[in-house]
Amino acid sequence: MRREQERGGGIKSDETLFDIVEQLRELDGAGVTQLATRLDVAKSTVHGHLTTLRDRGFVVKRGGEYHLGLTFFEYGQYVRGQLDVFESGMFAVDRLERETDEMVWLIAHQGGKAIYVYGRGGKNDINVNTILGESVHMHYNSGGKAILAHLPEDEVDRIVDRHGLPARTENTITDRDRLAKELETIREQGYALNLSEDLSGVHAIGVPLTVDGDVQAALSVAGPAHRMSKERCEGEILERLRAAADEIDLTIAYR
């Protein structure tokens, strides 16, 4: 049986199926014709993949459009629960929110991106559920930078080669040499700052979470710059973050 391949040696039909999934998420639902046009594949091919996805609960049809199904949620919950730091990290996020009144995140990493796996909004008027599961570049995210700083240098190089260093604000680090110096500083001090590098007027601080010597995730606290001054970040907030990270380490060690 011939294996169809493309891109990085993957099977073409599998690539098409995941392209359909990505388009359904991006478009918030779509019909067969729209998907076929955007992906430049036959409508019969798109319909066949959608039928398989629908039979297995990964896609539902409402009216004339297909939408992602809740089976993805089931798998996402399972994957999130496999993180060694998730359960203790979740309790740490809840406690940090109560202590700081700011937005708090547990951030993991995969494929060279930072992923929001659990969060609380504090007294900020933000619906964290719209952010959960989102993947972002690591170089402008405090938790992402805390993770990057504790990855092997060759892995950091691969991540930058793959994803680049796009600017989000005028404060975003977009130079590789400057990023390398920043990561060295983060390793030395044990925390990472994001001073309006992601969103103007928003400051954040993150610390890494390691398991058996490997960085698995990060904890971060974020809020408006007028409340989250650099001094507060490096004082009260950092003290609470370090205490939370120590508790997570202890919980994992005696699990």
Side-chain angles (χ1 to χ4, degrees), residues 139-168:
H139 70 287
Y140 54 67
N141 179 284
S142 64
K145 287 199 289 183
I147 293 170
L148 269 182
H150 293 81
L151 292 175
E153 187 176 341
D154 59 344
E155 186 173 350
V156 175
D157 287 338
R158 287 194 298 271
I159 289 170
V160 175
D161 287 342
R162 178 179 179 185
H163 298 295
L165 298 172
R168 287 275 290 176

Short mmCIF file of all heavy atoms in Angstrom, two decimals, residues 139-168:
data_model
loop_
_atom_site.label_atom_id
_atom_site.label_comp_id
_atom_site.label_asym_id
_atom_site.label_seq_id
_atom_site.Cartn_x
_atom_site.Cartn_y
_atom_site.Cartn_z
N HIS A 139 9.20 34.35 23.49
CA HIS A 139 10.17 35.41 23.75
C HIS A 139 9.58 36.71 24.27
O HIS A 139 10.31 37.56 24.75
CB HIS A 139 10.98 35.70 22.48
CG HIS A 139 10.20 36.36 21.39
ND1 HIS A 139 9.25 35.68 20.65
CD2 HIS A 139 10.20 37.63 20.91
CE1 HIS A 139 8.72 36.51 19.75
NE2 HIS A 139 9.28 37.70 19.90
N TYR A 140 8.25 36.86 24.21
CA TYR A 140 7.64 38.06 24.78
C TYR A 140 6.68 37.75 25.93
O TYR A 140 5.92 38.60 26.38
CB TYR A 140 6.92 38.89 23.71
CG TYR A 140 5.88 38.17 22.87
CD1 TYR A 140 4.70 37.69 23.42
CD2 TYR A 140 6.08 37.99 21.51
CE1 TYR A 140 3.75 37.05 22.65
CE2 TYR A 140 5.14 37.34 20.72
CZ TYR A 140 3.98 36.89 21.29
OH TYR A 140 3.03 36.25 20.52
N ASN A 141 6.72 36.54 26.42
CA ASN A 141 5.84 36.07 27.49
C ASN A 141 6.71 35.75 28.71
O ASN A 141 7.72 35.05 28.57
CB ASN A 141 5.08 34.84 27.00
CG ASN A 141 4.16 34.25 28.04
OD1 ASN A 141 4.61 33.58 28.96
ND2 ASN A 141 2.86 34.47 27.88
N SER A 142 6.35 36.24 29.89
CA SER A 142 7.21 36.04 31.06
C SER A 142 7.40 34.56 31.38
O SER A 142 8.52 34.11 31.63
CB SER A 142 6.66 36.78 32.28
OG SER A 142 5.40 36.26 32.67
N GLY A 143 6.30 33.80 31.36
CA GLY A 143 6.43 32.36 31.58
C GLY A 143 7.21 31.69 30.47
O GLY A 143 8.03 30.80 30.71
N GLY A 144 6.97 32.12 29.25
CA GLY A 144 7.69 31.56 28.11
C GLY A 144 9.18 31.83 28.20
O GLY A 144 10.00 30.94 27.93
N LYS A 145 9.55 33.04 28.60
CA LYS A 145 10.98 33.36 28.73
C LYS A 145 11.61 32.56 29.87
O LYS A 145 12.77 32.13 29.77
CB LYS A 145 11.17 34.86 28.96
CG LYS A 145 10.93 35.70 27.72
CD LYS A 145 11.56 37.09 27.83
CE LYS A 145 10.84 37.97 28.80
NZ LYS A 145 11.43 39.34 28.83
N ALA A 146 10.85 32.35 30.96
CA ALA A 146 11.37 31.55 32.07
C ALA A 146 11.65 30.12 31.61
O ALA A 146 12.62 29.49 32.04
CB ALA A 146 10.38 31.55 33.23
N ILE A 147 10.79 29.62 30.72
CA ILE A 147 11.00 28.28 30.17
C ILE A 147 12.18 28.27 29.21
O ILE A 147 13.08 27.42 29.30
CB ILE A 147 9.72 27.78 29.46
CG1 ILE A 147 8.60 27.55 30.47
CG2 ILE A 147 10.00 26.51 28.65
CD1 ILE A 147 7.24 27.29 29.85
N LEU A 148 12.20 29.22 28.27
CA LEU A 148 13.29 29.30 27.29
C LEU A 148 14.66 29.32 27.96
O LEU A 148 15.60 28.68 27.50
CB LEU A 148 13.14 30.56 26.43
CG LEU A 148 12.34 30.50 25.14
CD1 LEU A 148 12.38 31.86 24.46
CD2 LEU A 148 12.87 29.42 24.20
N ALA A 149 14.76 30.08 29.05
CA ALA A 149 16.04 30.25 29.72
C ALA A 149 16.59 28.94 30.28
O ALA A 149 17.79 28.84 30.54
CB ALA A 149 15.92 31.28 30.84
N HIS A 150 15.71 27.96 30.47
CA HIS A 150 16.14 26.69 31.07
C HIS A 150 16.09 25.53 30.08
O HIS A 150 16.15 24.36 30.48
CB HIS A 150 15.29 26.40 32.31
CG HIS A 150 15.55 27.37 33.42
ND1 HIS A 150 14.96 28.62 33.46
CD2 HIS A 150 16.37 27.30 34.50
CE1 HIS A 150 15.39 29.26 34.53
NE2 HIS A 150 16.23 28.49 35.19
N LEU A 151 15.98 25.85 28.81
CA LEU A 151 16.09 24.85 27.76
C LEU A 151 17.53 24.82 27.24
O LEU A 151 18.24 25.83 27.32
CB LEU A 151 15.15 25.16 26.60
CG LEU A 151 13.64 25.05 26.87
CD1 LEU A 151 12.85 25.51 25.65
CD2 LEU A 151 13.26 23.63 27.25
N PRO A 152 17.97 23.68 26.68
CA PRO A 152 19.31 23.64 26.09
C PRO A 152 19.47 24.70 24.99
O PRO A 152 18.51 25.02 24.28
CB PRO A 152 19.38 22.22 25.50
CG PRO A 152 18.38 21.43 26.29
CD PRO A 152 17.29 22.39 26.61
N GLU A 153 20.67 25.23 24.86
CA GLU A 153 20.91 26.31 23.91
C GLU A 153 20.57 25.92 22.48
O GLU A 153 20.00 26.73 21.74
CB GLU A 153 22.38 26.75 24.00
CG GLU A 153 22.71 27.97 23.17
CD GLU A 153 24.14 28.44 23.36
OE1 GLU A 153 24.76 28.05 24.37
OE2 GLU A 153 24.64 29.18 22.49
N ASP A 154 20.88 24.68 22.10
CA ASP A 154 20.58 24.28 20.73
C ASP A 154 19.07 24.19 20.49
O ASP A 154 18.59 24.45 19.38
CB ASP A 154 21.26 22.95 20.38
CG ASP A 154 20.84 21.80 21.30
OD1 ASP A 154 20.28 22.06 22.37
OD2 ASP A 154 21.08 20.63 20.92
N GLU A 155 18.30 23.85 21.54
CA GLU A 155 16.85 23.82 21.39
C GLU A 155 16.29 25.23 21.24
O GLU A 155 15.36 25.47 20.45
CB GLU A 155 16.20 23.12 22.59
CG GLU A 155 14.70 22.92 22.43
CD GLU A 155 14.07 22.08 23.52
OE1 GLU A 155 14.82 21.48 24.33
OE2 GLU A 155 12.83 22.02 23.57
N VAL A 156 16.84 26.18 21.99
CA VAL A 156 16.42 27.58 21.85
C VAL A 156 16.69 28.05 20.43
O VAL A 156 15.86 28.72 19.81
CB VAL A 156 17.15 28.47 22.87
CG1 VAL A 156 16.81 29.95 22.63
CG2 VAL A 156 16.77 28.08 24.30
N ASP A 157 17.87 27.69 19.89
CA ASP A 157 18.20 28.09 18.51
C ASP A 157 17.19 27.52 17.53
O ASP A 157 16.77 28.21 16.59
CB ASP A 157 19.61 27.60 18.15
CG ASP A 157 20.70 28.40 18.83
OD1 ASP A 157 20.43 29.56 19.24
OD2 ASP A 157 21.82 27.89 18.98
N ARG A 158 16.79 26.27 17.73
CA ARG A 158 15.82 25.65 16.82
C ARG A 158 14.46 26.35 16.91
O ARG A 158 13.77 26.54 15.90
CB ARG A 158 15.66 24.15 17.12
CG ARG A 158 16.86 23.30 16.70
CD ARG A 158 16.52 21.82 16.71
NE ARG A 158 16.17 21.34 18.03
CZ ARG A 158 17.05 20.87 18.91
NH1 ARG A 158 18.34 20.84 18.60
NH2 ARG A 158 16.67 20.42 20.09
N ILE A 159 14.08 26.73 18.12
CA ILE A 159 12.81 27.42 18.32
C ILE A 159 12.81 28.77 17.61
O ILE A 159 11.86 29.13 16.91
CB ILE A 159 12.52 27.60 19.82
CG1 ILE A 159 12.17 26.25 20.46
CG2 ILE A 159 11.37 28.59 20.05
CD1 ILE A 159 12.10 26.27 21.97
N VAL A 160 13.90 29.51 17.75
CA VAL A 160 13.99 30.82 17.11
C VAL A 160 14.04 30.67 15.59
O VAL A 160 13.42 31.44 14.85
CB VAL A 160 15.22 31.60 17.62
CG1 VAL A 160 15.37 32.92 16.86
CG2 VAL A 160 15.08 31.88 19.12
N ASP A 161 14.77 29.66 15.12
CA ASP A 161 14.82 29.41 13.67
C ASP A 161 13.42 29.11 13.13
O ASP A 161 13.06 29.54 12.03
CB ASP A 161 15.74 28.22 13.36
CG ASP A 161 17.22 28.56 13.53
OD1 ASP A 161 17.55 29.77 13.55
OD2 ASP A 161 18.03 27.63 13.67
N ARG A 162 12.66 28.36 13.89
CA ARG A 162 11.34 27.92 13.42
C ARG A 162 10.29 29.03 13.52
O ARG A 162 9.51 29.24 12.59
CB ARG A 162 10.88 26.71 14.24
CG ARG A 162 9.50 26.19 13.88
CD ARG A 162 9.14 24.99 14.73
NE ARG A 162 7.80 24.50 14.41
CZ ARG A 162 7.19 23.51 15.07
NH1 ARG A 162 7.82 22.90 16.07
NH2 ARG A 162 5.98 23.13 14.73
N HIS A 163 10.28 29.74 14.65
CA HIS A 163 9.19 30.68 14.91
C HIS A 163 9.59 32.15 14.78
O HIS A 163 8.72 33.02 14.73
CB HIS A 163 8.62 30.45 16.31
CG HIS A 163 8.02 29.09 16.50
ND1 HIS A 163 6.90 28.67 15.80
CD2 HIS A 163 8.38 28.05 17.30
CE1 HIS A 163 6.58 27.43 16.19
NE2 HIS A 163 7.47 27.04 17.07
N GLY A 164 10.89 32.42 14.74
CA GLY A 164 11.34 33.79 14.65
C GLY A 164 11.14 34.55 15.95
O GLY A 164 10.78 33.98 16.98
N LEU A 165 11.36 35.88 15.88
CA LEU A 165 11.19 36.75 17.05
C LEU A 165 10.31 37.94 16.66
O LEU A 165 10.75 39.10 16.65
CB LEU A 165 12.55 37.24 17.56
CG LEU A 165 13.53 36.17 18.05
CD1 LEU A 165 14.90 36.80 18.33
CD2 LEU A 165 12.99 35.48 19.31
N PRO A 166 9.05 37.67 16.32
CA PRO A 166 8.18 38.77 15.88
C PRO A 166 7.91 39.77 17.00
O PRO A 166 7.86 39.41 18.18
CB PRO A 166 6.89 38.04 15.47
CG PRO A 166 6.90 36.77 16.26
CD PRO A 166 8.34 36.37 16.36
N ALA A 167 7.73 41.02 16.63
CA ALA A 167 7.46 42.08 17.61
C ALA A 167 5.97 42.14 17.91
O ALA A 167 5.14 42.08 17.01
CB ALA A 167 7.95 43.41 17.07
N ARG A 168 5.65 42.28 19.19
CA ARG A 168 4.27 42.52 19.62
C ARG A 168 4.10 43.99 20.00
O ARG A 168 3.04 44.58 19.76
CB ARG A 168 3.94 41.64 20.83
CG ARG A 168 3.77 40.18 20.48
CD ARG A 168 2.38 39.89 20.02
NE ARG A 168 1.41 40.00 21.10
CZ ARG A 168 0.10 39.87 20.96
NH1 ARG A 168 -0.41 39.67 19.76
NH2 ARG A 168 -0.71 39.97 22.00
#
